[in-house]
Amino acid sequence: MAQKFDVVINGGAITGSVLALALSSFSSHQMQIAIIEKSPPNFAEQGGFDARSIALAYGTLQKFRKILPLARGNLLEKIEPISTPIEQIHVSDQGHFGKTTLSAAEMKLPYLGRVVELAKIGQELTACLAKQLNISLFCPNTIQQIERTPQICQLTLQDGTRLETPLLVCSDGIQSQIAKQCGVETRLLKDYQQSAIIANVKISEPHHQQAFERFTSQGPLALLPLADQTMSLVWCVKQAEDLLTLSETDFLAKLQQQFGWKLGKFERASQRFAYPLTSQKAEAHIHHRLAIVGNAAQLLHPVAGQGFNLGMRDLFALAQQVATAFQAGNDLGDYTLLSEFERHRKADQDRIIRSTSGLISLFGCEFLPVQALRNLGLLTLTHHTPTRKWLANQALGW
């Protein structure tokens, strides 16, 4: 006999876990939800100085405030103690006069966003999920077979377990095999000919909850605040191998040369990772009894940290629409419902994809008039409060 669920989510990392908690919360914990995840978590191995981190925009965190797990409090209250606030963002163009600062105080907010280690937020989400009696986790497991009838999705898992659901959600990352199996291909929008080097660095001076985004000739360099005078580094370069093979001392010297001494001396670096930078997008974000969210829907360049927060807005909108349909007793996989979700999210997705790609093109151009124009723009931001507040609103994820 197949086990019946209202929604099945394929992919149990942050996106899938938050989606499950949102669906549960918005349905008053009545919806029966399954999560299928192929890899058991190992938080001890993923944490520590080598831990990778993610920046959550203020707008994303306010959505987390509306997610109420069965345990006391909301999701934001669980994330705040394990994260570091961003109170200022410094944006500059290396080698030029253009720079500006976005400030939480100017926006009359406690912070612009928060930075959290993936291991810590993963552990907190896992603990929340374990307390939800209406959420079932199939891990380690994968979907081996999908049969979609007009009324239902029938899934067979690797261990032979059979599930039935009116709605399957893909949140299993870019180039989702489940989406492809259902007829949705992922299209390459742009290859940036860059790689992002990810690491944590220890600094000699307090960061005072400041984040930095510096545009260099090779690509943007971002530093995000973490606890204990540590910062999360995202360094976009054309030849990652040259930096990955350096000793820790030589790597820190190169970083110091690129960034300067605004944070004092770079004293220590964690293990370094690199991944190629492309922009990719699923050809559709819905199909028959299928919704696609997170990196399975779109993958963006990390400049300005917009991709993950865009994905959070997508899943929040999906959770609200599906929960409303559930409360009304309607079909959760109805194509009209899914079409409304896709239509509702399209403008925001297109805007973020265009602006992200435009930033890389603008700051990657060495043509002298373009350099002058972008630096004039940064200078205008510094001295024109309404424009600066408008830009801050974009960074906040509103």
Side-chain angles (χ1 to χ4, degrees):
M1 292 289 292
Q3 300 179 50
K4 299 182 187 300
F5 291 93
D6 297 304
V7 178
V8 172
I9 301 168
N10 187 55
I14 293 181
T15 300
S17 297
V18 172
L19 175 58
L21 290 170
L23 287 167
S24 178
S25 177
F26 300 161
S27 66
S28 302
H29 311 291
Q30 299 301 306
M31 194 182 294
Q32 295 300 310
I33 303 159
I35 300 175
I36 303 166
E37 171 54 42
K38 64 180 179 180
S39 303
N42 187 341
F43 300 121
E45 184 178 308
Q46 295 162 352
F49 187 57
D50 287 339
R52 294 180 64 176
S53 301
I54 196 157
L56 303 173
Y58 184 85
T60 296
L61 293 165
Q62 294 315 296
K63 287 178 169 54
F64 283 6
R65 188 191 295 277
K66 299 178 182 179
I67 299 175
L68 308 171
L70 280 174
R72 182 181 301 173
N74 59 59
L75 197 53
L76 174 58
E77 291 172 343
K78 297 180 180 303
I79 290 173
E80 282 184 325
I82 60 173
S83 59
T84 304
I86 299 173
E87 296 177 5
Q88 283 191 328
I89 302 174
H90 297 268
V91 183
S92 60
D93 191 6
Q94 186 187 48
H96 301 279
F97 61 84
K99 60 183 178 181
T100 194
T101 300
L102 308 178
S103 166
E106 184 178 39
M107 300 295 292
K108 296 181 172 55
L109 296 173
Y111 48 74
L112 298 172
R114 301 189 77 92
V115 186
V116 62
E117 294 177 12
L118 290 176
K120 288 182 177 178
I121 191 174
Q123 194 164 15
E124 192 62 54
L125 292 172
T126 298
C128 286
L129 290 171
K131 297 173 183 175
Q132 316 290 305
L133 298 180
N134 60 317
I135 300 178
S136 300
L137 178 62
F138 296 85
C139 177
N141 225 322
T142 56
I143 298 175
Q144 293 298 298
Q145 185 177 354
I146 304 172
E147 294 180 23
R148 290 179 294 166
T149 71
Q151 295 79 27
I152 208 80
C153 283
Q154 299 173 327
L155 311 174
T156 304
L157 306 189
Q158 186 179 30
D159 63 0
T161 302
R162 294 178 60 215
L163 310 179
E164 283 189 0
T165 181
L167 177 61
L168 174 63
V169 181
C170 286
S171 66
D172 49 346
I174 197 65
Q175 294 291 343
S176 166
Q177 291 304 303
I178 297 303
K180 186 174 182 179
Q181 191 174 332
C182 291
V184 181
E185 298 285 344
T186 301
R187 183 164 50 94
L188 176 67
L189 299 180
K190 188 167 186 177
D191 183 344
Y192 291 100
Q193 302 295 311
Q194 295 175 353
S195 293
I197 295 178
I198 310 296
N200 293 334
V201 291
K202 192 84 172 178
I203 53 178
S204 64
E205 302 294 330
H207 52 58
H208 300 296
Q209 287 71 52
Q210 299 176 98
F212 297 84
E213 180 112 47
R214 174 162 295 178
F215 291 92
T216 76
S217 59
Q218 294 214 18
L221 186 162
L223 285 161
L224 307 172
L226 294 168
D228 304 323
Q229 291 186 202
T230 302
M231 302 202 82
S232 173
L233 169 70
V234 182
W235 188 358
C236 302
V237 295
K238 294 176 181 176
Q239 297 293 333
E241 195 63 30
D242 296 344
L243 293 169
L244 291 176
T245 55
L246 292 176
S247 68
E248 181 181 0
T249 301
D250 290 342
F251 175 77
L252 291 173
K254 287 281 188 183
L255 178 61
Q256 198 88 61
Q257 182 183 31
Q258 285 292 306
F259 183 78
W261 296 84
K262 215 170 182 54
L263 293 167
K265 184 180 180 182
F266 292 109
E267 298 181 329
R268 183 185 170 197
S270 71
Q271 183 180 356
R272 286 159 261 163
F273 303 90
Y275 64 92
L277 295 177
T278 61
S279 177
Q280 302 181 43
K281 191 174 188 294
E283 291 183 338
H285 291 176
I286 63 166
H287 205 269
H288 176 60
R289 299 202 170 275
L290 179 77
I292 305 170
V293 294
N295 281 351
Q298 65 258 321
L299 179 70
L300 308 184
H301 192 288
V303 64
Q306 291 294 311
F308 179 80
N309 293 287
L310 173 63
M312 288 292 107
R313 295 198 292 278
D314 288 345
L315 78 81
F316 195 82
L318 179 65
Q320 285 182 313
Q321 284 189 238
V322 171
T324 299
F326 176 82
Q327 301 284 20
N330 296 332
D331 181 357
L332 305 191
D334 179 71
Y335 196 76
T336 302
L337 182 154
L338 297 180
S339 297
E340 175 60 21
F341 158 69
E342 185 175 51
R343 186 199 64 76
H344 174 65
R345 293 300 306 144
K346 188 177 186 306
D348 188 21
Q349 292 163 355
D350 290 348
R351 177 177 62 86
I352 294 298
I353 290 172
R354 283 196 308 269
S355 62
T356 298
S357 185
L359 270 176
I360 297 303
S361 298
L362 176 64
F363 281 91
C365 182
E366 295 302 309
F367 187 46
L368 192 60
V370 175
Q371 291 182 0
L373 183 64
R374 72 190 185 218
N375 278 272
L376 182 61
L378 287 172
L379 191 64
T380 301
L381 284 172
T382 301
H383 297 286
H384 192 253
T385 302
T387 307
R388 189 169 61 255
K389 286 186 174 181
W390 175 87
L391 180 64
N393 274 327
Q394 311 310 304
L396 290 169
W398 283 347

